[in-house]
Amino acid sequence: MTEKHIILEDIDPVVFYGVGNGHLQMLKALYPKLRIVARDNVMRVLGDEQQMAHFEEGVEKMRQHVLKFNSLSEEDILDITKGRRLNDDVPDDVVVYSISGRPIKARSQNQQRLIDAYQQNDMVFAVGPAGTGKTYLSIALAVKALKEKTAKKIILSRPAVEAGEKLGFLPGDMKDKIDPYLQPLYDALEDMLPQAKLQDMMEKHIIQIAPLAFMRGRTLSDAVVILDEAQNTTPAQIRMFLTRMGWNTKMIITGDTSQIDLPPRAKSGLIEALHILSGIEGIGMVTLTQKDIVRHKLVTRIVNAYDDFDKATAHSEE
């Protein structure tokens, strides 16, 4: 009798075992000569050596499938255990799959331009109004790079600038104070990576989330680096950030020039950088518009209404 421990690395064991351990019960029925006990991401298997080898091979194929698609069905399990060919090809237009198995891909022409610009350049500026998917799609590209091992880490940053609110007296330590600024980044990551895996990656500094001020003095290599809300950087800050770029690194800088929360008369570093760096080889620039908004349809109407108001106000002041 053989005994082995199989570790389900890099995946959510809940997806693998199924709702109410349905997949696990199915595996036990398909391999009657094996005694299978699962706890967290470790499977303890005892039994017939020949069936054990077949089981190990099948589990690895299932693990790879979950790693790609964040899902596993009973049909997938049957196809793998019966030796039938499983279609494991990710469609070309899909960046990654969410933890619910939903494909994350471009939903507009300009979003596709952002994906293409990322593939063709080492640095990309993505500028557009709220809800156009700039941050979400950028993080999806970073997660894809991590999964495909073309990058060793993801570094996400934002300038800690209040949007009209004074948050300086928030309770807690440094992490507690800066987390509210970084929550949108956490939200996107939690939609793409299982909670336990995300926590493990953050503890191992494979995924790092930090305010822009923490970037000074660093050289960022072998990474996908994203600067979000870049319209709230000063010229000195964005210059410092852009020059942190190291070997085998890609940078994505996102921002909305209509939502600048800097003090009056302060110049936005993003606007200056777009002007200075325009036309430089290796730097892509993508502009998203109201047509690319993928949030609730009211967001498009709100953005349009404020744009009309700004134009009317500017015209009346002339």
Side-chain angles (χ1 to χ4, degrees):
M1 182 176 288
T2 304
E3 177 178 344
K4 287 199 176 180
H5 290 77
I6 301 172
I7 300 174
L8 302 173
E9 290 184 302
D10 300 327
I11 64 169
D12 185 353
V14 174
V15 175
F16 187 91
Y17 298 143
V19 178
N21 284 335
H23 295 165
L24 186 60
Q25 298 305 322
M26 186 176 178
L27 287 172
K28 289 178 179 180
L30 288 167
Y31 294 93
K33 295 182 181 179
L34 300 179
R35 182 167 177 258
I36 305 168
V37 179
R39 177 171 292 180
D40 296 326
N41 69 329
V42 179
M43 301 177 75
R44 180 169 170 260
V45 189
L46 299 91
D48 178 75
E49 188 172 348
Q50 186 176 353
Q51 199 166 92
M52 178 83 73
H54 187 264
F55 178 77
E56 274 191 289
E57 183 182 345
V59 166
E60 177 56 23
K61 288 180 180 178
M62 293 173 214
R63 190 190 70 83
Q64 290 290 342
H65 186 84
V66 174
L67 192 61
K68 284 184 180 180
F69 301 99
N70 269 326
S71 65
L72 185 69
S73 68
E74 292 183 356
E75 289 77 11
D76 295 331
I77 294 171
L78 283 173
D79 285 343
I80 290 169
T81 55
K82 301 300 182 186
R84 295 193 287 261
R85 189 178 184 280
L86 191 65
N87 184 11
D88 252 359
D89 296 328
V90 176
D92 292 338
D93 62 342
V94 174
V95 180
V96 290
Y97 287 82
S98 73
I99 57 171
S100 63
R102 174 177 57 85
I104 297 172
K105 56 186 178 180
R107 295 173 63 182
S108 70
Q109 195 172 45
N110 285 328
Q111 284 191 357
Q112 186 59 50
R113 287 195 180 109
L114 170 54
I115 294 172
D116 294 341
Y118 171 84
Q119 292 170 343
Q120 296 162 9
N121 300 277
D122 288 335
M123 184 179 291
V124 178
F125 286 81
V127 182
T132 51
K134 307 180 300 293
T135 302
Y136 192 80
L137 201 54
S138 297
I139 291 177
L141 288 166
V143 170
K144 176 184 175 71
L146 206 59
K147 287 190 171 189
E148 294 181 348
K149 302 188 186 304
T150 57
K152 293 181 180 178
K153 54 184 177 281
I154 298 173
I155 301 171
L156 309 174
S157 188
R158 267 187 162 203
V161 177
E162 296 109 340
E165 302 174 75
K166 298 299 179 185
L167 304 176
F169 297 101
L170 283 171
D173 59 16
M174 178 63 75
K175 184 177 185 302
D176 294 328
K177 289 179 184 295
I178 64 177
D179 271 358
Y181 298 103
L182 307 174
Q183 191 58 49
L185 306 180
Y186 289 114
D187 290 344
L189 284 169
E190 287 171 353
D191 198 30
M192 301 175 204
L193 292 168
Q195 184 63 43
K197 185 61 182 175
L198 174 58
Q199 189 65 36
D200 180 62
M201 285 181 164
M202 293 184 71
E203 288 174 359
K204 293 177 179 175
H205 302 291
I206 297 170
I207 295 178
Q208 304 170 29
I209 305 179
L212 179 59
F214 286 26
M215 295 295 108
R216 187 172 296 280
R218 299 184 64 184
T219 299
L220 310 174
S221 300
D222 298 309
V224 178
V225 187
I226 298 172
L227 175 61
D228 194 34
E229 299 288 351
Q231 75 277 3
N232 288 328
T233 61
T234 65
Q237 284 175 327
I238 200 165
R239 184 174 181 175
M240 175 275 292
F241 175 82
L242 297 178
T243 54
R244 301 304 92 201
M245 191 173 194
W247 293 107
N248 191 37
T249 288
K250 289 202 174 223
M251 280 188 167
I252 308 176
I253 299 92
T254 71
D256 177 4
T257 54
S258 71
Q259 291 189 346
I260 297 173
D261 300 312
L262 292 167
R265 298 180 184 176
K267 184 186 289 186
S268 168
L270 175 61
I271 293 175
E272 183 177 275
L274 290 170
H275 173 70
I276 293 172
L277 302 178
S278 177
I280 290 183
E281 185 179 354
I283 298 179
M285 294 187 178
V286 179
T287 300
L288 296 103
T289 68
Q290 286 87 341
K291 292 180 181 179
D292 302 300
I293 292 175
V294 292
R295 291 181 186 167
H296 193 286
K297 60 185 178 182
L298 272 179
V299 175
T300 304
R301 297 173 192 169
I302 291 167
V303 170
N304 288 335
Y306 271 96
D307 280 350
D308 292 341
F309 174 79
D310 291 340
K311 289 175 185 174
T313 302
H315 181 72
S316 65
E317 291 176 352
E318 291 178 353

